[in-house]
Amino acid sequence: MKKQWWHGKTAYQIYPKSFFDTNGDGIGDLQGVIRKLDYLKDLGVDIVWLSPCYVSPLADQGYDIADYYAIDPRFGTMEDMDQLLAEAKKRDMYILMDLVVNHCSDEHEWFKKACEDPFGKYGKYFYIEQVKDGKLPCNWRSYFGGPVWEKLPGHDDLYYLHVFHKKQPDLNWENPELREEIYKMMNWWLDRGLAGFRIDAIINIKKALPFKDYPADREDGLCSVHNMLHEAKGVGVFLGEMRDRTFKPHNSFSVGEVFNEKEEELPDFIGDDGYFSSMFDFAETVFGQSGDGWHASSGITPDDYRNCVFATQRKIGQIGYISNIIENHDEPRGVSRYIPEGEATPAAKKMLATVYFLLRGLPWIYQGQEIGMENIKLNSIDEVDDISSIDNYKVALAAGVSEKEALHMIELYGRDNARTPFQWNASENAGFTTGTPWLRVNPNYTQINLAAQKDDPDSIFQYYRALSRLRKDPAYQETLVYGAFIPYLEDHHNVMAYLRRTDDQTILVIANYQTQPQTLPLPGKVNRILLANTGNVSIQNGQIDLEGYQAVVLELGNVIQ
Ligand code: NOJ
């Protein structure tokens, strides 16, 4: 694997709407991001991905773009964006935007023109089909529920495709003119100083055509889009073209939201000349998911979590560089999901931080993760904003789940969990806004907030800083960034341990993933304790006594393996 400028960096995701509001309208803004750049720098962050802040009706919180060349006034102006790019540059930081090009908004000019003239130039930017006798072109279910076909406004016999929400019409990537528009737009941003993109839902850009039905998998008579994606061939042609026309000439960074990649295609995706610089590991994210909906999902145990993560690490090997996360804006909080209920103490949160952050790959922190933010409790479905949660709630009720259980299901899996405002301090609205926050602040902000942790050497925040510093320490960087990943004690229940190894150095990350203590053998002599999430590290006779949820990072000598 060729070394790249970004391999040793720390990356961070900002969900602008919930990060920091500077104008009191209850919505976070770009000035808020600028205001917090020094905070991020101090945390150790180099690369910042902003979830969408383009002009949008926000039907899917900005993942429905109405103008790719303008900032939504709720987030600020293009001047704010330019200022952000300049301020980031001053601090050696890199800004990424979200590239949402599987679909745009139904309020985008292209779609409006397509409605005016479905058989003209812009009609060909979308998938528009004639419908006879009410029979839709295929029976796919959109990711947010219901059929993927919606009547084209102004035309009774024409329908357009939307694999996500009906306000997110799919763009037709088979059309070279559309592709040119996208590359032009990407280069416009990259020329402006953007360091790259996070690429949204990208596997969906290739459809298996012609449209056809697959066996229905629920009582609604529809089927998951995954049936089609499984059969769709040739996404690489589009992605290779995109790389050559945009990322490559700019030496920019790209990280793909890639679900359903085929293992044999990994080198094509993130190998040395891959379509993307990196892509997220979602193995643990999708674990336990059910095609029937969230209500049928199963939880994930510490052993499952380890097995998922290790499987990815093995699969990637030296092929490329994966991006490691415990949460993002579509997922519940990592500490609420990967630590068994009732056990998410500060020590456990730091343990989870240790075991994912030091894996081989680029570590990402999602806003608020660095202070241990947790899922939010719900009193009623009326408190829920997320369209996906609302759809899954309906699906659950239709399947006979009680309202109480369905609400609890949203507490476990809902996307609002990660979207509640950042908890800056213990003042009203967690210091996020002086106005009324667009989404409820998690009431636990009086305990969990940055101000309470900032200067506490034992805080979760300070621990994340230490992790980032350790990974960048010249004495360990080569091993922690590039060293091989070797599982250790893989069959031990509730243990997550691995070696990071180069010819010259071995580092052991070892964690006790439960409340009861465990004594574990060490694979070599300990040269140095590099980091521990609790004060006492007890090592004797080639063994380590780990307290509940203790995680320790050790530099070893003479390892026999
Ligand atoms: C993935 C994004 O992360 C999610 O928030 C969005 O709803 C869908 N793609 C559609 O763009």
Side-chain angles (χ1 to χ4, degrees):
M1 190 191 72
K2 263 194 282 174
K3 292 192 173 176
Q4 301 291 352
W5 62 266
W6 49 271
H7 284 155
K9 307 289 190 203
T10 298
Y12 190 92
Q13 181 190 353
I14 290 184
Y15 196 69
K17 199 171 182 189
S18 303
F19 190 56
F20 188 57
D21 173 23
T22 58
N23 63 358
D25 64 356
I27 293 179
D29 43 48
L30 291 181
Q31 282 300 329
V33 177
I34 296 171
R35 199 83 69 81
K36 299 296 180 184
L37 276 182
D38 286 332
Y39 160 70
L40 295 174
K41 184 77 190 171
D42 175 58
L43 172 60
V45 171
D46 312 284
I47 298 175
V48 177
W49 149 31
L50 301 177
S51 276
C53 45
Y54 312 86
V55 169
S56 164
L58 303 189
D60 184 22
Q61 296 303 354
Y63 286 89
D64 46 322
I65 298 174
D67 185 350
Y68 289 97
Y69 292 93
I71 301 298
D72 193 283
R74 283 165 284 197
F75 296 121
T77 62
M78 194 55 82
E79 286 70 47
D80 294 330
M81 180 52 86
D82 286 339
Q83 188 188 345
L84 172 60
L85 294 174
E87 291 296 325
K89 195 161 182 211
K90 276 189 210 157
R91 294 165 176 80
D92 274 332
M93 294 168 86
Y94 304 83
I95 304 290
L96 314 176
M97 285 178 82
D98 221 303
L99 184 73
V100 188
V101 289
N102 172 68
H103 45 266
C104 59
S105 161
D106 65 343
E107 297 184 28
H108 193 289
E109 200 192 0
W110 297 337
F111 191 73
K112 289 186 189 157
K113 289 187 175 157
C115 294
E116 281 163 22
D117 181 10
F119 301 104
K121 172 176 157 93
Y122 292 100
K124 297 191 181 70
Y125 276 32
F126 300 91
Y127 292 98
I128 296 174
E129 296 283 314
Q130 200 114 32
V131 167
K132 286 199 199 92
D133 310 323
K135 168 83 182 91
L136 298 177
C138 64
N139 69 339
W140 312 345
R141 180 186 307 105
S142 95
Y143 291 109
F144 296 140
V148 293
W149 296 100
E150 184 71 20
K151 203 175 269 186
L152 192 73
H155 306 268
D156 277 345
D157 57 340
L158 296 178
Y159 280 66
Y160 68 92
L161 178 79
H162 61 90
V163 301
F164 289 92
H165 193 262
K166 64 179 181 198
K167 284 188 70 65
Q168 294 168 301
D170 278 54
L171 291 165
N172 182 357
W173 274 72
E174 303 295 335
N175 179 354
E177 245 182 281
L178 177 271
R179 300 206 298 274
E180 284 307 317
E181 288 271 16
I182 302 288
Y183 306 149
K184 187 177 88 185
M185 176 273 290
M186 291 170 70
N187 285 326
W188 185 87
W189 278 106
L190 294 170
D191 290 340
R192 216 174 174 92
L194 205 67
F197 290 101
R198 173 265 186 184
I199 296 127
D200 184 74
I202 197 67
I203 289 302
N204 296 279
I205 64 173
K206 184 75 194 181
K207 321 294 189 230
L209 297 172
F211 297 113
K212 65 167 188 189
D213 286 356
Y214 296 90
D217 52 28
R218 290 190 199 163
E219 289 196 349
D220 57 7
L222 304 175
C223 73
S224 157
V225 176
H226 291 114
N227 293 292
M228 175 284 284
L229 291 178
H230 193 70
E231 283 188 4
K233 300 272 176 297
V235 70
V237 177
F238 299 154
L239 298 181
E241 184 180 80
M242 179 197 268
R243 169 199 59 206
D244 294 343
R245 299 287 305 282
T246 63
F247 306 139
K248 229 185 195 170
H250 287 90
N251 188 26
S252 63
F253 174 81
S254 54
V255 54
E257 186 201 28
V258 183
F259 288 97
N260 319 97
E261 98 284 349
K262 302 170 177 105
E263 191 165 339
E264 63 281 8
E265 290 174 358
L266 268 177
D268 300 334
F269 275 79
I270 55 165
D272 277 342
D273 194 29
Y275 310 135
F276 305 126
S277 313
S278 183
M279 61 191 214
F280 291 108
D281 175 21
F282 291 123
E284 62 285 359
T285 313
V286 300
F287 181 89
Q289 271 181 5
S290 159
D292 292 341
W294 292 354
H295 66 279
S297 302
S298 60
I300 181 164
T301 66
D303 289 347
D304 296 329
Y305 174 77
R306 175 198 55 212
N307 296 344
C308 288
V309 171
F310 283 15
T312 299
Q313 291 279 313
R314 282 201 169 98
K315 190 168 85 171
I316 304 290
Q318 300 290 323
I319 292 175
Y321 217 61
I322 196 84
S323 278
N324 296 309
I325 56 168
I326 60 167
E327 63 200 46
N328 65 27
H329 67 291
D330 291 331
E331 301 300 328
R333 290 286 179 177
V335 295
S336 302
R337 181 185 220 162
Y338 302 123
I339 300 172
E341 205 171 342
E343 298 182 9
T345 58
K349 291 177 180 180
K350 291 185 212 167
M351 181 228 68
L352 185 61
T354 318
V355 293
Y356 101 93
F357 201 97
L358 299 177
L359 291 166
R360 187 173 180 283
L362 184 66
W364 288 78
I365 302 170
Y366 176 75
Q367 67 180 42
Q369 179 187 322
E370 73 272 29
I371 55 168
M373 280 180 64
E374 299 174 353
N375 284 354
I376 187 165
K377 295 264 174 262
L378 296 169
N379 304 304
S380 133
I381 187 67
D382 301 334
E383 288 171 343
V384 178
D385 169 82
D386 165 34
I387 49 179
S388 188
S389 297
I390 293 168
D391 173 54
N392 272 282
Y393 184 77
K394 289 184 193 149
V395 170
L397 295 187
V401 173
S402 72
E403 284 183 15
K404 192 165 163 238
E405 282 167 336
L407 205 59
H408 183 55
M409 168 198 85
I410 300 176
E411 289 177 337
L412 293 179
Y413 301 115
R415 304 197 299 178
D416 285 351
N417 282 309
R419 300 175 181 187
T420 62
F422 191 106
Q423 293 161 208
W424 294 102
N425 56 47
S427 72
E428 206 186 350
N429 298 324
F432 160 69
T433 180
T434 53
T436 307
W438 74 276
L439 187 66
R440 215 157 54 102
V441 173
N442 194 321
N444 69 12
Y445 75 91
T446 47
Q447 282 90 50
I448 299 176
N449 65 69
L450 178 68
Q453 298 190 22
K454 194 87 202 295
D455 300 320
D456 173 359
D458 291 331
S459 68
I460 299 165
F461 168 74
Q462 288 296 344
Y463 193 75
Y464 268 97
R465 281 187 78 222
L467 277 167
S468 185
R469 267 204 315 268
L470 175 63
R471 194 169 169 276
K472 290 176 183 172
D473 184 330
Y476 310 109
Q477 189 178 34
E478 185 64 24
T479 307
L480 290 176
V481 175
Y482 293 109
F485 164 88
I486 304 166
Y488 181 60
L489 301 182
E490 206 179 348
D491 300 328
H492 274 56
H493 179 50
N494 290 351
V495 169
M496 185 150 171
Y498 53 86
L499 302 171
R500 300 296 316 279
R501 197 167 192 187
T502 56
D503 289 346
D504 309 322
Q505 193 173 52
T506 303
I507 294 174
L508 171 68
V509 177
I510 188 162
N512 178 17
Y513 210 139
Q514 61 178 24
T515 42
Q516 302 77 15
Q518 298 203 61
T519 297
L520 301 171
L522 291 171
K525 181 172 98 26
V526 174
N527 284 350
R528 206 164 293 128
I529 300 170
L530 304 183
L531 193 67
N533 67 339
T534 57
N536 293 329
V537 178
S538 158
I539 295 170
Q540 49 202 331
N541 308 325
Q543 294 193 319
I544 184 162
D545 302 319
L546 292 170
E547 296 162 16
Y549 283 108
Q550 191 171 23
V552 180
V553 185
L554 302 168
E555 187 195 7
L556 301 180
N558 75 338
V559 178
I560 318 134
Q561 260 224 352

